[in-house]
Amino acid sequence: MADEKVIAVVGATGAQGGGLVRAIAADPGGGFKARAITRDPSSDGAKALADLGAEVVQADLEDPAGIDAAFAGAYGAFCVTFFWVDFSPETEMRHAQTMAAAAKSGGVQHVVWSTLEDTRRFVPLSDDRMPTLQGKYKVPHFDGKEDADAAFRDAGVPTTLLRTAFYWENLIYFGLGPKRGEDGTLSFTYCMGDKRLPAIGVEDIGRIAYGVFKRPDLIGETVSVMGEALTGAQMAEKLSKALGEPVAYNDVDPDVYRSFGFPGADELGNMFQFKRDFEAEYTGARDTGVARSLDPELQDFDAWLAANAKKIPLE
Ligand SMILES: NC(=O)c1ccc[n+]([C@@H]2O[C@H](COP(=O)([O-])OP(=O)(O)OC[C@H]3O[C@@H](n4cnc5c(N)ncnc54)[C@H](OP(=O)(O)O)[C@@H]3O)[C@@H](O)[C@H]2O)c1
């Protein structure tokens, strides 16, 4: 339809952006059309988006002119950064500035920026309960995102800050799911104590972002979402039922978690400790009611497990 509003989607072949493209495609009469941004339109992921009816365009966040062209004339832009590529909040800031400038020059009327809290507002660098990382962060992939909120504010683009949550997909793709011990039993290890971890199915983030684009009254607002917040013990109980065998939650001290040695262990140890120590502030800020009002299909953990438990690798 000629009068459809175009949403330029960064990270369209990825988790959050892909969910948004699929949400737009699932609502053909909704008045929106996705412009899927990828570095490689010939990839299988990009072709799958074209098959859904998305316009697929080539652009790279390392090339501001390309992002300018990709955002030009769009009504909306979904903006997300990719911390885990190089573990660099500075890269996230640079990419956010590129997207904000493109939104400004392209006349974009609604940006949804996928962001997170700056944990240093709660745990100042002087607080030695957790180590300072990269010289100036406590949880770099959180802190850098709120730093980058300023890029959109400073550019003066109409923006909704979408504060997301831990993906349950981390149990499948990020090594954070149950593992089989030498005794053959399954367990997963975080350092959340008995506190709740707010989390979400990543496909819901895309549907929520779509819901935000349909709500211009949310420009200038911060929308903080989750699908459900559960303790490790509650997650273990639900995983046990879904997988048909016992799964235990193994709680460790954050210092132990940080010492595990895999890339990012110190960062994830700080992240879980922040969520443990500031449960009231962090979990309390996230609202399933708001999330469901934007995404009526919002999944809780049981619903997510019903659709995804079989994909969890149980090595
Ligand atoms: N894991 C979690 O629990 C969690 C929770 C909340 C927030 N986050 C945040 O989510 C962010 C990542 O989002 P995601 O999970 O949706 O990412 P993702 O699934 O890893 O998607 C990455 C996509 O971005 C595109 N991309 C990568 N570098 C690019 C570049 N230079 N220019 C243009 N496109 C580029 C790639 O597409 P092409 O190859 O097609 O170009 C790729 O498909 C991270 O910053 C992370 O901190 C994660």
Side-chain angles (χ1 to χ4, degrees), residues 10-18 37-41 43 45-46 49 59-63 67 78 80-85 91-92 95 114-116 141-142 145 163-170 174 176 200 202 205 271 275 282:
V10 174
T13 61
Q16 296 189 32
I37 298 172
T38 174
R39 291 165 302 175
D40 180 8
S43 71
L49 300 176
D60 188 325
L61 289 172
E62 290 300 323
D63 170 25
I67 298 296
F78 178 74
V80 57
T81 46
F82 308 106
F83 175 82
W84 300 103
V85 172
T91 303
E92 293 191 277
H95 286 169
S114 175
T115 187
L116 290 166
H141 74 284
F142 274 58
K145 287 196 179 59
R163 287 196 178 142
T164 62
F166 183 93
Y167 310 164
W168 284 312
E169 280 73 7
N170 293 332
F174 208 64
L176 296 178
I200 192 162
V202 77
I205 297 178
M271 178 195 78
K275 293 175 183 177
Y282 180 76

